[in-house]
Amino acid sequence: MGHKDIKKYILQCSVFMMGCFLCLFGYIVYLQVVAAPSLLANPLNTRGNAALSIVRGDILDINGKELATSSQPGQRSYPYGAIAAPVTGYLGEEIGSAGLEDIAGSDLTGQSRQLQMLGPIGQAIQAGRGNNVKLTVDADIQELAYEALGSNKGAVVVLDADTGAIIAMVSKPAIDPAEVESSWKDLQERKDSPLLNRVTQGLYPPGSTIKLLIADAALDEKVTDLNEVFKCTGKLQIGNEYIGESHGAVHGDHVTLEDAVTQSCNVTFGTLAMRMHGKGLENAFERFGFFEPIESEFHESKCHLPQFLKLGDGDTAQVGIGQGETLVTPLRMAMLASAYVNKGKVMVPYLVEEVISPTGLVLRKASPQKWREVTSPQRAGIISSFMENVVENGTGGAAAVPGIRVTGKTGTAENAAGADHGWFIGTAELPKRKIAFCVIVENSGGGGAVAAPIARQIIIALKNR
């Protein structure tokens, strides 16, 4: 065999080996990058079971109080029980997880997706305890809001308007997460939905609370101004039908836009909605983000909105007073209120403040982000002054706190299945921060009598915190 033949065979062998190497390398890249998510989720993949041998990290409130904790693998306890259940969620071997136990699961087990993809190597460098997750929630305010709801069904959410941090997120009824797995079958059959986080997943007609958005939109669309005077006889005739005022009220012949918000005049807001027609209303709801999902550490139900462009006058007027097909979450209404204390800016709501390693090292810290500018600073100031008047001279007086600027809007949402739901949304300018809140009490009637006093308790408790 000649020298040239040997070189030829060596070259061919080298090319073949290089080809095999490239195929192997390509397959490894495919497994690690493309196929990894589906392989991790495959029930036949036992590597995910490594989390069962890890002591799960704690879920802590903003002051370090334990909301969920473990002392050994597979064991989980919830010191605040049902009070913090909408925040922590639950964890079960047979039923899976929900809430922060689900969303922050990889942090709590210390198993990042990158570590899981490394397989045995990742397991070798895996710590025996997961990371702690510190939340923005204040356990004391969470407990106060829970107790303030009493035996009622409903929801309370409190936000830091400047950052979007969730201070409290209460839903009732709720159940101790430690009892969920053992009671799973019964819980699935309960009609009061104790596993539903009403703050982010409950959908309700907004009632008169939506009049803040309608007033903003009417000014933006220039279908009215601050000087126009409306006449309220107690009924708005639309064809052969009427929209009436709550409890048969008559607001008189000299109702300004500010008066209409303060007195919650249905005639005025039904009229304004019809002036804007479908397109004007659609523009307003889009501007405030009701069509857009919130990308954050919870699962929010999609708001249900009518097809504005197909509505007749009667249904359009119903939108103006928060009835009809419009359904929103309490979280969205707290965000709406926040815009008016924050010069038209709405922040992304969030729950996780820090992720902390077992050695105390802060691995990740929240960075507040602006969600969108929903209105101008000037118009935000106008609507905010209307909301302040609601508390000082209108239906929201039960939320007033001496020495604190409190704004709000009450609402009564008709409920085909029973008594009306009572709403109160608003803001408070505290010494150390500005907050926005939403309280809804199911089947309670008007929001001024039941929901507003709950907001007042929260404002007083947060006054010096």
Side-chain angles (χ1 to χ4, degrees), residues 211-254:
K211 291 173 181 174
L212 302 177
L213 181 151
I214 301 299
D216 186 299
L219 292 171
D220 184 60
E221 295 282 331
K222 295 181 173 55
V223 299
T224 190
D225 58 38
L226 299 179
N227 298 316
E228 182 178 4
V229 174
F230 298 87
K231 182 177 181 179
C232 174
T233 62
K235 290 183 179 180
L236 174 63
Q237 185 171 359
I238 307 169
N240 296 322
E241 299 181 354
Y242 293 87
I243 287 180
E245 296 294 339
S246 178
H247 307 297
V250 176
H251 299 120
D253 297 341
H254 301 283

Short mmCIF file of all heavy atoms in Angstrom, two decimals, residues 211-254:
data_model
loop_
_atom_site.label_atom_id
_atom_site.label_comp_id
_atom_site.label_asym_id
_atom_site.label_seq_id
_atom_site.Cartn_x
_atom_site.Cartn_y
_atom_site.Cartn_z
N LYS A 211 -67.32 53.46 36.50
CA LYS A 211 -67.63 54.84 36.10
C LYS A 211 -66.40 55.74 36.11
O LYS A 211 -66.38 56.78 35.45
CB LYS A 211 -68.73 55.40 37.00
CG LYS A 211 -70.09 54.74 36.76
CD LYS A 211 -71.15 55.16 37.76
CE LYS A 211 -72.46 54.45 37.48
NZ LYS A 211 -73.49 54.73 38.51
N LEU A 212 -65.37 55.35 36.87
CA LEU A 212 -64.12 56.10 36.82
C LEU A 212 -63.51 56.02 35.43
O LEU A 212 -63.06 57.03 34.86
CB LEU A 212 -63.14 55.54 37.85
CG LEU A 212 -63.60 55.55 39.32
CD1 LEU A 212 -62.53 54.90 40.19
CD2 LEU A 212 -63.91 56.95 39.78
N LEU A 213 -63.48 54.83 34.87
CA LEU A 213 -62.94 54.65 33.52
C LEU A 213 -63.82 55.37 32.50
O LEU A 213 -63.31 55.99 31.55
CB LEU A 213 -62.84 53.16 33.20
CG LEU A 213 -62.29 52.74 31.84
CD1 LEU A 213 -61.60 51.38 31.94
CD2 LEU A 213 -63.38 52.65 30.77
N ILE A 214 -65.14 55.29 32.67
CA ILE A 214 -66.06 55.92 31.72
C ILE A 214 -65.89 57.44 31.76
O ILE A 214 -65.88 58.11 30.71
CB ILE A 214 -67.51 55.53 32.03
CG1 ILE A 214 -67.68 53.99 31.95
CG2 ILE A 214 -68.47 56.23 31.07
CD1 ILE A 214 -67.38 53.39 30.59
N ALA A 215 -65.73 58.02 32.95
CA ALA A 215 -65.52 59.46 33.07
C ALA A 215 -64.22 59.87 32.38
O ALA A 215 -64.17 60.86 31.64
CB ALA A 215 -65.48 59.87 34.54
N ASP A 216 -63.17 59.09 32.60
CA ASP A 216 -61.88 59.33 31.96
C ASP A 216 -62.02 59.27 30.44
O ASP A 216 -61.54 60.14 29.71
CB ASP A 216 -60.87 58.29 32.47
CG ASP A 216 -59.46 58.54 31.98
OD1 ASP A 216 -59.24 58.52 30.75
OD2 ASP A 216 -58.57 58.75 32.81
N ALA A 217 -62.70 58.23 29.97
CA ALA A 217 -62.87 58.04 28.53
C ALA A 217 -63.70 59.15 27.90
O ALA A 217 -63.40 59.62 26.80
CB ALA A 217 -63.52 56.68 28.26
N ALA A 218 -64.75 59.58 28.60
CA ALA A 218 -65.62 60.64 28.07
C ALA A 218 -64.84 61.94 27.90
O ALA A 218 -65.04 62.67 26.92
CB ALA A 218 -66.81 60.84 29.00
N LEU A 219 -63.95 62.24 28.84
CA LEU A 219 -63.11 63.43 28.71
C LEU A 219 -62.09 63.25 27.58
O LEU A 219 -61.83 64.18 26.82
CB LEU A 219 -62.40 63.71 30.04
CG LEU A 219 -63.29 64.16 31.20
CD1 LEU A 219 -62.50 64.20 32.50
CD2 LEU A 219 -63.93 65.51 30.92
N ASP A 220 -61.53 62.06 27.48
CA ASP A 220 -60.54 61.79 26.45
C ASP A 220 -61.16 61.85 25.06
O ASP A 220 -60.55 62.37 24.12
CB ASP A 220 -59.92 60.41 26.69
CG ASP A 220 -58.80 60.09 25.71
OD1 ASP A 220 -57.82 60.84 25.68
OD2 ASP A 220 -58.93 59.09 24.97
N GLU A 221 -62.38 61.32 24.92
CA GLU A 221 -63.07 61.31 23.63
C GLU A 221 -63.76 62.64 23.33
O GLU A 221 -64.34 62.82 22.26
CB GLU A 221 -64.11 60.18 23.61
CG GLU A 221 -63.53 58.77 23.70
CD GLU A 221 -62.97 58.30 22.37
OE1 GLU A 221 -63.46 58.75 21.32
OE2 GLU A 221 -62.03 57.47 22.39
N LYS A 222 -63.72 63.55 24.33
CA LYS A 222 -64.31 64.89 24.19
C LYS A 222 -65.82 64.86 23.91
O LYS A 222 -66.36 65.68 23.15
CB LYS A 222 -63.57 65.68 23.11
CG LYS A 222 -62.11 65.96 23.46
CD LYS A 222 -61.42 66.76 22.36
CE LYS A 222 -60.01 67.19 22.79
NZ LYS A 222 -59.14 66.09 23.22
N VAL A 223 -66.51 63.89 24.54
CA VAL A 223 -67.97 63.86 24.42
C VAL A 223 -68.62 64.64 25.57
O VAL A 223 -69.84 64.77 25.61
CB VAL A 223 -68.50 62.41 24.39
CG1 VAL A 223 -67.94 61.66 23.18
CG2 VAL A 223 -68.18 61.67 25.69
N THR A 224 -67.80 65.12 26.49
CA THR A 224 -68.28 65.99 27.56
C THR A 224 -67.09 66.81 28.06
O THR A 224 -65.95 66.61 27.60
CB THR A 224 -68.92 65.21 28.71
OG1 THR A 224 -69.58 66.12 29.61
CG2 THR A 224 -67.88 64.41 29.50
N ASP A 225 -67.36 67.71 28.99
CA ASP A 225 -66.29 68.45 29.66
C ASP A 225 -66.70 68.69 31.10
O ASP A 225 -67.79 68.27 31.54
CB ASP A 225 -65.97 69.76 28.93
CG ASP A 225 -67.18 70.69 28.81
OD1 ASP A 225 -67.99 70.76 29.77
OD2 ASP A 225 -67.34 71.33 27.76
N LEU A 226 -65.84 69.36 31.86
CA LEU A 226 -66.10 69.54 33.28
C LEU A 226 -67.22 70.52 33.56
O LEU A 226 -67.72 70.60 34.69
CB LEU A 226 -64.81 70.00 33.98
CG LEU A 226 -63.63 69.04 33.89
CD1 LEU A 226 -62.42 69.63 34.59
CD2 LEU A 226 -63.98 67.68 34.48
N ASN A 227 -67.65 71.27 32.54
CA ASN A 227 -68.68 72.29 32.75
C ASN A 227 -70.08 71.84 32.36
O ASN A 227 -71.05 72.51 32.72
CB ASN A 227 -68.32 73.56 31.94
CG ASN A 227 -67.00 74.16 32.41
OD1 ASN A 227 -66.74 74.27 33.60
ND2 ASN A 227 -66.16 74.55 31.44
N GLU A 228 -70.18 70.75 31.63
CA GLU A 228 -71.52 70.30 31.20
C GLU A 228 -72.37 69.93 32.41
O GLU A 228 -71.89 69.33 33.39
CB GLU A 228 -71.43 69.11 30.25
CG GLU A 228 -72.80 68.67 29.75
CD GLU A 228 -72.77 67.53 28.75
OE1 GLU A 228 -71.67 67.00 28.48
OE2 GLU A 228 -73.84 67.17 28.23
N VAL A 229 -73.65 70.26 32.31
CA VAL A 229 -74.60 69.95 33.37
C VAL A 229 -75.62 68.94 32.83
O VAL A 229 -76.22 69.15 31.77
CB VAL A 229 -75.33 71.22 33.86
CG1 VAL A 229 -76.41 70.85 34.88
CG2 VAL A 229 -74.34 72.18 34.50
N PHE A 230 -75.79 67.84 33.54
CA PHE A 230 -76.73 66.79 33.15
C PHE A 230 -78.00 66.90 34.00
O PHE A 230 -77.98 67.41 35.11
CB PHE A 230 -76.11 65.41 33.35
CG PHE A 230 -74.88 65.17 32.51
CD1 PHE A 230 -73.62 65.55 32.97
CD2 PHE A 230 -74.98 64.57 31.28
CE1 PHE A 230 -72.49 65.34 32.19
CE2 PHE A 230 -73.85 64.34 30.50
CZ PHE A 230 -72.61 64.73 30.96
N LYS A 231 -79.08 66.37 33.45
CA LYS A 231 -80.35 66.33 34.16
C LYS A 231 -80.69 64.89 34.50
O LYS A 231 -80.72 64.03 33.59
CB LYS A 231 -81.45 66.94 33.30
CG LYS A 231 -82.82 66.99 33.99
CD LYS A 231 -83.85 67.66 33.10
CE LYS A 231 -85.21 67.72 33.79
NZ LYS A 231 -86.24 68.41 32.95
N CYS A 232 -80.88 64.62 35.79
CA CYS A 232 -81.20 63.25 36.22
C CYS A 232 -82.59 63.22 36.85
O CYS A 232 -82.81 63.75 37.94
CB CYS A 232 -80.17 62.74 37.23
SG CYS A 232 -80.58 61.13 37.93
N THR A 233 -83.52 62.60 36.13
CA THR A 233 -84.90 62.45 36.64
C THR A 233 -85.09 61.12 37.36
O THR A 233 -86.18 60.82 37.84
CB THR A 233 -85.89 62.52 35.48
OG1 THR A 233 -85.64 61.43 34.57
CG2 THR A 233 -85.77 63.84 34.74
N GLY A 234 -84.00 60.32 37.42
CA GLY A 234 -84.09 59.01 38.06
C GLY A 234 -84.19 57.87 37.06
O GLY A 234 -84.03 56.71 37.43
N LYS A 235 -84.46 58.21 35.79
CA LYS A 235 -84.57 57.19 34.76
C LYS A 235 -84.00 57.70 33.44
O LYS A 235 -84.15 58.86 33.09
CB LYS A 235 -86.04 56.79 34.53
CG LYS A 235 -86.66 56.02 35.68
CD LYS A 235 -88.09 55.61 35.33
CE LYS A 235 -88.72 54.80 36.47
NZ LYS A 235 -90.12 54.40 36.14
N LEU A 236 -83.31 56.79 32.73
CA LEU A 236 -82.81 57.09 31.39
C LEU A 236 -83.57 56.21 30.41
O LEU A 236 -83.47 54.98 30.44
CB LEU A 236 -81.31 56.79 31.30
CG LEU A 236 -80.67 56.93 29.92
CD1 LEU A 236 -80.75 58.37 29.41
CD2 LEU A 236 -79.22 56.45 29.95
N GLN A 237 -84.36 56.86 29.53
CA GLN A 237 -85.15 56.10 28.57
C GLN A 237 -84.33 55.79 27.33
O GLN A 237 -83.68 56.66 26.75
CB GLN A 237 -86.41 56.87 28.16
CG GLN A 237 -87.32 56.07 27.24
CD GLN A 237 -88.66 56.73 26.99
OE1 GLN A 237 -88.94 57.82 27.52
NE2 GLN A 237 -89.52 56.10 26.20
N ILE A 238 -84.34 54.51 26.94
CA ILE A 238 -83.64 54.05 25.74
C ILE A 238 -84.64 53.22 24.95
O ILE A 238 -84.90 52.06 25.28
CB ILE A 238 -82.40 53.20 26.10
CG1 ILE A 238 -81.50 53.95 27.07
CG2 ILE A 238 -81.63 52.81 24.84
CD1 ILE A 238 -80.42 53.10 27.67
N GLY A 239 -85.24 53.81 23.93
CA GLY A 239 -86.30 53.13 23.21
C GLY A 239 -87.49 52.93 24.13
O GLY A 239 -88.00 53.88 24.73
N ASN A 240 -87.90 51.69 24.27
CA ASN A 240 -89.02 51.37 25.16
C ASN A 240 -88.57 50.90 26.53
O ASN A 240 -89.38 50.43 27.34
CB ASN A 240 -89.90 50.29 24.52
CG ASN A 240 -90.56 50.77 23.23
OD1 ASN A 240 -90.97 51.93 23.14
ND2 ASN A 240 -90.66 49.88 22.24
N GLU A 241 -87.25 50.97 26.79
CA GLU A 241 -86.72 50.51 28.06
C GLU A 241 -86.13 51.67 28.85
O GLU A 241 -85.90 52.76 28.33
CB GLU A 241 -85.66 49.43 27.81
CG GLU A 241 -86.20 48.19 27.09
CD GLU A 241 -85.14 47.13 26.90
OE1 GLU A 241 -83.96 47.41 27.21
OE2 GLU A 241 -85.48 46.03 26.42
N TYR A 242 -85.88 51.38 30.15
CA TYR A 242 -85.34 52.41 31.04
C TYR A 242 -84.17 51.84 31.85
O TYR A 242 -84.15 50.67 32.19
CB TYR A 242 -86.42 52.88 32.03
CG TYR A 242 -87.56 53.64 31.41
CD1 TYR A 242 -88.67 52.96 30.91
CD2 TYR A 242 -87.53 55.03 31.32
CE1 TYR A 242 -89.73 53.65 30.34
CE2 TYR A 242 -88.59 55.74 30.75
CZ TYR A 242 -89.68 55.03 30.27
OH TYR A 242 -90.72 55.72 29.70
N ILE A 243 -83.19 52.71 32.12
CA ILE A 243 -82.17 52.42 33.13
C ILE A 243 -82.46 53.34 34.30
O ILE A 243 -82.55 54.56 34.13
CB ILE A 243 -80.75 52.68 32.58
CG1 ILE A 243 -80.37 51.58 31.59
CG2 ILE A 243 -79.73 52.74 33.72
CD1 ILE A 243 -78.99 51.75 30.99
N GLY A 244 -82.63 52.76 35.47
CA GLY A 244 -83.00 53.55 36.64
C GLY A 244 -81.84 53.76 37.58
O GLY A 244 -80.80 53.10 37.49
N GLU A 245 -82.01 54.70 38.50
CA GLU A 245 -81.03 54.95 39.55
C GLU A 245 -81.21 53.95 40.69
O GLU A 245 -82.30 53.43 40.91
CB GLU A 245 -81.17 56.38 40.08
CG GLU A 245 -80.89 57.45 39.07
CD GLU A 245 -79.45 57.48 38.60
OE1 GLU A 245 -78.59 56.95 39.32
OE2 GLU A 245 -79.18 58.02 37.51
N SER A 246 -80.13 53.71 41.40
CA SER A 246 -80.19 52.82 42.55
C SER A 246 -81.14 53.38 43.60
O SER A 246 -81.09 54.58 43.92
CB SER A 246 -78.79 52.66 43.15
OG SER A 246 -78.83 51.85 44.29
N HIS A 247 -82.02 52.54 44.09
CA HIS A 247 -82.99 52.90 45.14
C HIS A 247 -83.89 54.05 44.72
O HIS A 247 -84.41 54.79 45.56
CB HIS A 247 -82.26 53.27 46.45
CG HIS A 247 -81.30 52.22 46.93
ND1 HIS A 247 -81.70 50.96 47.29
CD2 HIS A 247 -79.95 52.26 47.06
CE1 HIS A 247 -80.64 50.25 47.64
NE2 HIS A 247 -79.56 51.01 47.51
N GLY A 248 -84.08 54.22 43.40
CA GLY A 248 -84.99 55.24 42.91
C GLY A 248 -84.54 56.67 43.12
O GLY A 248 -85.35 57.61 43.12
N ALA A 249 -83.25 56.89 43.27
CA ALA A 249 -82.74 58.24 43.53
C ALA A 249 -82.96 59.15 42.33
O ALA A 249 -83.00 58.71 41.18
CB ALA A 249 -81.24 58.17 43.85
N VAL A 250 -83.14 60.43 42.61
CA VAL A 250 -83.22 61.47 41.59
C VAL A 250 -82.16 62.52 41.93
O VAL A 250 -82.19 63.11 43.01
CB VAL A 250 -84.62 62.12 41.56
CG1 VAL A 250 -84.63 63.26 40.54
CG2 VAL A 250 -85.69 61.08 41.21
N HIS A 251 -81.22 62.75 41.02
CA HIS A 251 -80.09 63.62 41.32
C HIS A 251 -80.28 65.07 40.87
O HIS A 251 -79.41 65.90 41.09
CB HIS A 251 -78.82 63.03 40.72
CG HIS A 251 -78.48 61.68 41.28
ND1 HIS A 251 -78.38 60.55 40.50
CD2 HIS A 251 -78.27 61.28 42.56
CE1 HIS A 251 -78.09 59.50 41.27
NE2 HIS A 251 -78.03 59.92 42.51
N GLY A 252 -81.39 65.36 40.19
CA GLY A 252 -81.71 66.75 39.90
C GLY A 252 -81.28 67.24 38.53
O GLY A 252 -80.81 66.47 37.67
N ASP A 253 -81.42 68.58 38.34
CA ASP A 253 -81.21 69.18 37.03
C ASP A 253 -79.82 69.77 36.82
O ASP A 253 -79.52 70.28 35.74
CB ASP A 253 -82.23 70.32 36.82
CG ASP A 253 -83.66 69.81 36.82
OD1 ASP A 253 -83.85 68.59 36.62
OD2 ASP A 253 -84.58 70.63 37.01
N HIS A 254 -78.97 69.72 37.82
CA HIS A 254 -77.67 70.38 37.71
C HIS A 254 -76.55 69.43 38.15
O HIS A 254 -75.84 69.68 39.13
CB HIS A 254 -77.65 71.66 38.55
CG HIS A 254 -78.70 72.66 38.15
ND1 HIS A 254 -78.57 73.45 37.04
CD2 HIS A 254 -79.91 72.95 38.70
CE1 HIS A 254 -79.65 74.21 36.92
NE2 HIS A 254 -80.47 73.93 37.92
#
